[in-house]
Amino acid sequence: MQVSVRRLALYPLAVARSGQIRGALLSPAPHLLSPSTRTLFSETGVWERDYRTETRRKVEEWWHPRIMTQWRKDALEEGSNRKKFYVLSMFPYPSGRLHMGHVRVYTISDTIGHFQRMRGHQVLNPMGWDAFGLPAENAAIERGLDPEDWTKRNIQSMREQLDSLGLCFNWDREVTTCLPDYYRWTQYLFIKLFEAGLAYQKEAVVNWDPVDQTVLADEQVDENGRSWRSGALVEQKLLTQWFIKTTNFAKPLLDALADLPEWYGVKAMQANWIGECTGCYFDFKLKVNGEETGETLSAYSSSPEAVFGAAYLAILPSHRLLHGSSSVRSALEKAFQPGRDSLTEVTARNLFTGHEVPLVISHKEAFDGYLDTVIGIPDCSEEDLSVATALNLSWTTVLKSDGDETQTLINSDEFSGLTRQQAFESITQKAREQKVGGHLTSSKLRDWLISRQRYWGTPIPVVHCGSCGSVAVPEEELPVTLPKLPSLTGKGASPLEAAHDWVNCKCPRCKGPARRETDTMDTFVDSAWYYFRYADPHNTDRPFERHLADHWLPVDVYIGGKEHAVMHLYYARFLCHFCQDQGLVAHREPFWKLLVQGLIKGQTFKLAESGQYLKREEIDFTDKEPVARGGGRVEVTWEKMSKSKHNGLDPQEVVQQYGVDTVRLYILYAAPPEQDILWNVKTDALPGVLRWQSRLWQLVTKLRGARQLGDVPNPSLLKKKELAETKKIWENKNYAIQEVTSHFTEDFLFNAAISRLMGLTNTLSSATVRVVQHSVEFEEALATLVMMTAPMAPHLASELWAGLCQVKNPLSPFLQRGGDVLQQFWPTVDPEYLDVPDFVELSVLINNKACGTVTVPLQVSKDSEQVRQLVLESPLGQKLLGERSIKRAILSPRTALINILIDE
């Protein structure tokens, strides 16, 4: 007997699942060990009574490789006829060490992945690396390392750390953004943007980080004007930069939010970022003294329907045309009078209307939002009218007021006669068709600046030719790979300028001498499309096959930190909209549900006077208020974990101390996902999840022990009181299935799901010995409890399941299927539980004491007066209440119970 069980442990789980060794699975294992012996049931066939630290270690050591091997095996076997489920956690930057925030986000995705696979779905839970960026380059500068070598070493280290946590990712789909087989397609998508007129260069006043010597996007500068990474005070500098015209998609991106489910407040953040899309840009060509200058300018109007009535174009004194290398700069400087509206000899021809208007330098320091160029239309603005009048400009009246308070267009070519609203739609649509503007956007939204003067990023696939201008590298020549550089300084211009053999090349169009673009792309470009590549990661012909992207997209649940709720999500949504316009994918939105997880914060101590962070051992906790051992009052706060604040935790050490499953359960139980977790092992959820695991183990011990008492289980032996107990167990089991499934699919309140499972544990723990011994209800409820625990604590649940499946004389078919717990189908509610009864059994209390039950029709069970009358008319009521004076009857709104208060 013992030998057959030991052999079973060596079989692959898939064999067990197939049922080939079902007999062995169901063979009884009668021994219960004394606490002094340490063993593992899966290894020896002998069940230990208690779940101790050593048992936990053995459980996790045994099941860790088996669970991961089975996940990989099942992923290969899953047929596409199953319904897909794509769970995606934001991929990490490979810094070299995991932190507790990583553990939280990947525990959530792993839990959802296991759950959805148990529901029969084809699950994609991929992992990759956001591997370009400043930290690798800074490490190379500081330590004389190759950024590629540094990054690859970090990836290897972090992958080992992820594996040690037992996280089941689809590693066969791993992507790494710094590898040419990935960034080749980042460059391909850039070229598609370039060919569509959406990637362009212009001089711009940019945010310059003097420490990291690079340009920062506006979003990377904090409210104090400092760099988000180096903390340096940011300077303003004028440089020729690459932009992506995300403003062309502002209105579709805003409107599409309405079709998405609630995103933990992130939809409102996205909408606020985009702003109200009530105006648009029109393109102009600039002239000086009637001659074309080659300069083009986009100008915003909040009243595009009246564009035929434009009197002038206004720019700010800070505009690039006044400060850069523009051919109209001298003409503008000559006319500029600070503090006044300055009329210049530069004119601007509207490419939509064909009309020419003068260029004015405004006296203002700022326009609405982030605008720096606006169209002045006197018919629509008192302020525009006063500017045009003061400068003695002429314009055409284009609005005529009708008697019913509507306005109609006049002097507006084919649009004359339309109402303002009709003209708004028609003019903007025609401008879009002619590719001269018309895309609805807001005054606060700017195009996406993607240039970075750094080495460790995706090269921009453009060459600059004296004859042909900026020319995209042909697709067949991609990728444009990064050259190896002997050293990096991090100072001055782009490091790629120094790679002379790489920079100097031939123009793809005229074959004449040309120079490669030396800026690299912001890493947000790499992460704007990675969710597509996971669908088809090994494709060497295109970024992804459309049918594979259409199969997996949209991502069903996207999990990540709230710090990415604006920039990354906005750019990823933009790129998906663009790919749909290009016919590359069917879906417009990349993500369906968004799960935003909070931070894990550590208790932080710092000197009140200086703000210096202290280690815990530097503090005296003897008195009520902590003080520094070296003297000084201490402030105690909760802050995001970091080494510099001495409040961090090494995930490896935490797992070593408590175990993988305990850490997973803690993270899921301590708070709802979107809330911060304040990590304090003495006072928080950790003791609770440790106790719960022991109680789960005790339940299996209890069942195995009861079934070895000698009698064959026989439900017919149960008495009336015991049958009532089994009914309660059955009801609690179904209620738990209903609640936990809802939490796993709808609101992701894993803490509430665990609370519900703890409630079912309480019910089963209080079951009498005969109910445990003879009822199928107890057995099925315990099997259900273990199955629903499995996605969250897979190692423990796997061992519990092994113990359950070899219980003596099982009654439930659950325990006769074979296979590991993660290969079971997720439990479903029994249909009869969902049947609405015609009658309700109502508990009757008299002066708070239980006196019996009365059956009442369901339709009146919530009507206090009718229920009271029915109780009084019942045999129970006539016996106990017939002659008594009733003061009050209280009907419970939550449970079937009435409390009747009488005079004693």
Side-chain angles (χ1 to χ4, degrees):
M1 174 64 233
Q2 205 70 2
V3 173
S4 68
V5 174
R6 196 173 285 118
R7 281 183 186 152
L8 164 63
L10 302 177
Y11 286 131
L13 292 173
V15 178
R17 188 175 198 176
S18 70
Q20 293 170 26
I21 52 171
R22 183 172 294 167
L25 268 172
L26 299 178
S27 302
H31 303 348
L32 284 170
L33 280 194
S34 67
S36 61
T37 313
R38 294 289 165 260
T39 184
L40 188 67
F41 177 80
S42 292
E43 200 170 6
T44 65
V46 182
W47 185 263
E48 190 177 330
R49 283 184 181 276
D50 299 311
Y51 190 60
R52 300 166 187 271
T53 302
E54 185 57 32
T55 316
R56 184 261 299 162
R57 272 200 198 98
K58 288 196 171 189
V59 165
E60 293 185 355
E61 282 171 13
W62 176 266
W63 284 106
H64 176 270
R66 286 162 175 78
I67 289 169
M68 298 189 77
T69 300
Q70 192 61 48
W71 174 276
R72 287 193 293 271
K73 187 174 173 55
D74 288 349
L76 294 172
E77 291 176 357
E78 282 177 351
S80 57
N81 55 332
R82 291 192 192 188
K83 187 178 177 185
K84 70 92 182 178
F85 196 93
Y86 188 174
V87 55
L88 179 62
S89 38
M90 294 180 184
F91 63 172
Y93 176 77
S95 61
R97 295 296 298 169
L98 288 182
H99 55 68
M100 290 305 296
H102 289 130
V103 178
R104 188 179 193 187
V105 67
Y106 303 134
T107 295
I108 292 170
S109 69
D110 193 68
T111 297
I112 293 172
H114 283 309
F115 163 71
Q116 292 294 347
R117 184 170 276 180
M118 290 177 77
R119 294 185 89 203
H121 288 147
Q122 180 191 18
V123 173
L124 177 57
N125 181 20
M127 176 49 68
W129 310 98
D130 193 8
F132 272 136
L134 283 173
E137 190 160 340
N138 289 344
I141 292 163
E142 291 161 16
R143 301 170 210 170
L145 302 172
D146 183 311
E148 183 176 358
D149 294 342
W150 186 83
T151 300
K152 287 180 176 176
R153 276 203 304 275
N154 286 354
I155 287 172
Q156 182 60 33
S157 170
M158 288 180 74
R159 185 168 174 175
E160 288 167 5
Q161 291 170 63
L162 290 171
D163 279 347
S164 73
L165 293 169
L167 299 165
C168 293
F169 292 114
N170 296 89
W171 282 114
D172 57 317
R173 294 173 180 265
E174 181 181 16
V175 302
T176 305
T177 60
C178 69
L179 295 181
D181 65 0
Y182 182 90
Y183 70 71
R184 170 188 183 180
W185 302 113
T186 307
Q187 292 173 340
Y188 170 92
L189 292 169
F190 175 90
I191 289 170
K192 291 290 180 195
L193 290 161
F194 182 74
E195 290 170 347
L198 295 172
Y200 67 95
Q201 265 189 309
K202 73 171 184 182
E203 274 191 322
V205 175
V206 295
N207 303 307
W208 179 258
D209 183 330
V211 172
D212 281 332
Q213 294 280 299
T214 193
V215 172
L216 300 172
D218 293 304
E219 309 84 56
Q220 294 169 328
V221 181
D222 68 17
E223 64 273 16
N224 299 315
R226 294 185 177 276
S227 165
W228 73 322
R229 198 180 293 281
S230 73
L233 205 58
V234 170
E235 300 169 358
Q236 299 296 296
K237 199 170 183 177
L238 201 68
L239 288 175
T240 301
Q241 301 287 292
W242 282 97
F243 291 83
I244 293 176
K245 202 181 281 262
T246 52
T247 49
N248 278 19
F249 285 77
K251 188 71 163 71
L253 285 165
L254 183 66
D255 292 347
L257 290 170
D259 300 326
L260 296 170
E262 184 43 55
W263 271 11
Y264 295 90
V266 171
K267 280 184 9 174
M269 293 167 72
Q270 287 272 303
N272 182 59
W273 175 260
I274 295 167
E276 290 188 33
C277 298
T278 53
C280 73
Y281 287 91
F282 289 98
D283 294 340
F284 290 78
K285 281 199 178 297
L286 301 187
K287 295 180 177 181
V288 177
N289 298 323
E291 290 189 16
E292 295 276 0
T293 63
E295 285 281 358
T296 60
L297 194 58
S298 289
Y300 186 82
S301 173
S302 56
S303 304
E305 72 281 6
V307 68
F308 284 87
Y312 62 91
L313 226 59
I315 63 171
L316 293 175
S318 59
H319 198 281
R320 63 179 176 86
L321 293 179
L322 268 162
H323 301 276
S325 57
S326 164
S327 57
V328 301
R329 177 174 174 175
S330 59
L332 296 177
E333 286 178 332
K334 191 167 69 176
F336 179 44
Q337 299 176 54
R340 299 182 58 183
D341 293 316
S342 310
L343 183 62
T344 73
E345 58 188 35
V346 179
T347 58
R349 183 171 63 86
N350 187 324
L351 299 185
F352 178 71
T353 65
H355 296 176
E356 205 166 298
V357 293
L359 188 67
V360 171
I361 304 169
S362 176
H363 74 280
K364 291 183 172 182
E365 292 299 316
F367 296 138
D368 288 344
Y370 288 118
L371 300 174
D372 64 3
T373 311
V374 296
I375 304 173
I377 304 176
D379 278 11
C380 301
S381 158
E382 289 291 333
E383 190 176 353
D384 293 357
L385 175 62
S386 67
V387 171
T389 304
L391 295 175
N392 200 25
L393 304 178
S394 60
W395 67 90
T396 304
T397 297
V398 292
L399 294 176
K400 182 185 75 168
S401 296
D402 299 324
D404 57 358
E405 296 187 4
T406 62
Q407 287 185 306
T408 307
L409 258 67
I410 57 174
N411 302 320
S412 299
D413 291 1
E414 70 208 72
F415 307 101
S416 297
L418 298 178
T419 64
R420 282 190 77 166
Q421 187 55 42
Q422 290 169 335
F424 184 95
E425 304 292 340
S426 299
I427 285 174
T428 53
Q429 182 181 338
K430 187 159 186 184
R432 290 194 297 272
E433 289 168 0
Q434 294 180 353
K435 294 186 169 34
V436 291
H439 295 276
L440 297 184
T441 186
S442 75
S443 61
K444 65 194 289 187
L445 192 65
R446 287 184 277 191
D447 284 339
W448 178 13
L449 166 61
I450 66 158
S451 282
R452 294 295 177 268
Q453 288 67 45
R454 297 304 294 244
Y455 168 74
W456 192 235
T458 299
I460 295 175
V462 169
V463 299
H464 301 287
C465 171
S467 305
C468 307
S470 298
V471 181
V473 173
E475 286 173 22
E476 61 272 15
E477 293 181 19
L478 298 179
V480 177
T481 54
L482 278 174
K484 287 285 186 186
L485 294 181
S487 65
L488 293 168
T489 65
K491 306 298 179 188
S494 169
L496 289 173
E497 293 274 8
H500 302 296
D501 292 343
W502 181 86
V503 170
N504 296 308
C505 61
K506 287 185 177 179
C507 171
R509 194 173 292 162
C510 71
K511 308 305 178 192
R515 287 174 57 82
R516 291 194 189 280
E517 174 59 58
T518 56
D519 282 359
T520 53
M521 295 187 212
D522 180 21
T523 54
F524 277 123
V525 184
D526 308 317
S527 58
W529 75 280
Y530 77 113
Y531 50 88
F532 283 131
R533 187 65 176 173
Y534 282 138
D536 192 12
H538 308 299
N539 197 324
T540 56
D541 298 321
R542 50 184 57 85
F544 46 84
E545 288 286 355
R546 174 166 173 163
H547 76 274
L548 291 172
D550 288 349
H551 170 70
W552 285 111
L553 269 286
V555 172
D556 294 278
V557 182
Y558 193 34
I559 309 162
K562 202 160 190 171
E563 66 271 24
H564 299 298
V566 174
M567 291 185 288
H568 162 64
L569 274 176
Y570 176 70
Y571 299 143
R573 293 181 61 230
F574 158 77
L575 206 79
C576 195
H577 278 239
F578 170 73
C579 285
Q580 195 218 30
D581 274 8
Q582 293 285 306
L584 297 174
V585 288
H587 297 98
R588 206 155 176 78
E589 284 292 324
F591 315 118
W592 178 238
K593 283 191 175 179
L594 180 72
L595 202 169
V596 174
Q597 107 275 355
L599 301 171
I600 295 186
K601 293 182 174 180
Q603 199 168 23
T604 312
F605 307 96
K606 58 183 176 183
L607 286 172
E609 283 187 23
S610 64
Q612 177 193 343
Y613 289 99
L614 301 173
K615 296 176 183 175
R616 180 175 279 272
E617 54 267 29
E618 295 175 314
I619 297 166
D620 183 350
F621 292 97
T622 310
D623 294 330
K624 190 176 179 183
E625 294 293 326
V627 292
R629 293 191 185 279
R633 191 168 62 84
V634 172
E635 286 181 1
V636 183
T637 56
W638 294 91
E639 297 185 25
K640 183 178 178 179
M641 289 184 176
S642 78
K643 283 182 185 175
S644 62
K645 296 175 184 174
H646 309 298
N647 68 347
L649 286 169
D650 183 341
Q652 307 291 107
E653 292 176 10
V654 179
V655 167
Q656 188 66 33
Q657 186 174 355
Y658 298 107
V660 171
D661 284 345
T662 304
V663 172
R664 287 170 67 104
L665 289 171
Y666 172 87
I667 281 170
L668 297 171
Y669 183 54
E674 75 276 11
Q675 291 182 14
D676 294 340
I677 291 176
L678 308 181
W679 186 288
N680 183 345
V681 295
K682 287 193 176 70
T683 60
D684 58 16
L686 202 61
V689 295
L690 284 166
R691 279 194 305 272
W692 183 47
Q693 290 173 88
S694 294
R695 296 182 72 207
L696 289 171
W697 190 273
Q698 285 295 327
L699 286 174
V700 176
T701 302
K702 185 176 180 178
L703 178 62
R704 291 176 64 85
R707 290 293 167 84
Q708 288 164 12
L709 294 176
D711 295 344
V712 174
N714 183 357
S716 66
L717 297 176
L718 295 173
K719 296 174 181 173
K720 184 178 179 183
K721 188 175 180 182
E722 292 161 344
L723 288 172
E725 191 181 329
T726 64
K727 187 182 180 192
K728 181 186 173 187
I729 289 171
W730 177 82
E731 287 174 344
N732 278 11
K733 175 200 76 173
N734 281 291
Y735 180 56
I737 293 171
Q738 205 171 40
E739 290 291 295
V740 172
T741 305
S742 172
H743 289 313
F744 270 53
T745 53
E746 299 301 324
D747 54 21
F748 306 111
L749 295 178
F750 302 108
N751 58 320
I754 292 172
S755 292
R756 176 46 45 211
L757 294 179
M758 287 176 170
L760 182 56
T761 305
N762 292 341
T763 301
L764 296 179
S765 297
S766 63
T768 55
V769 173
R770 280 173 53 81
V771 166
V772 177
Q773 186 179 3
H774 292 294
S775 81
V776 70
E777 287 84 0
F778 181 92
E779 195 177 289
E780 290 199 343
L782 180 51
T784 297
L785 175 60
V786 172
M787 283 190 275
M788 291 197 292
T789 302
M792 299 181 286
H795 308 89
L796 171 63
S798 294
E799 184 67 8
L800 294 174
W801 188 257
L804 276 178
C805 283
Q806 294 202 35
V807 75
K808 190 176 180 182
N809 299 316
L811 296 170
S812 168
F814 280 2
L815 303 184
Q816 300 172 45
R817 293 173 182 162
D820 168 41
V821 67
L822 289 170
Q823 295 172 282
Q824 304 306 310
F825 288 110
W826 185 259
T828 53
V829 174
D830 295 319
E832 53 269 35
Y833 179 77
L834 299 173
D835 292 342
V836 179
D838 295 328
F839 293 89
V840 174
E841 196 170 1
L842 189 82
S843 298
V844 178
L845 278 67
I846 298 176
N847 286 352
N848 302 312
K849 293 177 183 175
C851 296
T853 60
V854 171
T855 302
V856 300
L858 177 70
Q859 64 264 34
V860 302
S861 62
K862 297 295 181 188
D863 186 317
S864 180
E865 195 53 46
Q866 288 198 56
V867 169
R868 170 182 157 158
Q869 196 59 38
L870 287 168
V871 170
L872 290 174
E873 292 169 2
S874 70
L876 178 79
Q878 289 173 4
K879 177 183 174 183
L880 300 176
L881 298 167
E883 305 298 322
R884 310 304 290 269
S885 170
I886 296 173
K887 292 193 292 185
R888 191 177 170 204
I890 305 164
L891 183 67
S892 169
R894 287 182 293 279
T895 56
L897 179 149
I898 189 168
N899 188 11
I900 296 175
L901 305 179
I902 61 172
D903 290 327
E904 292 291 349

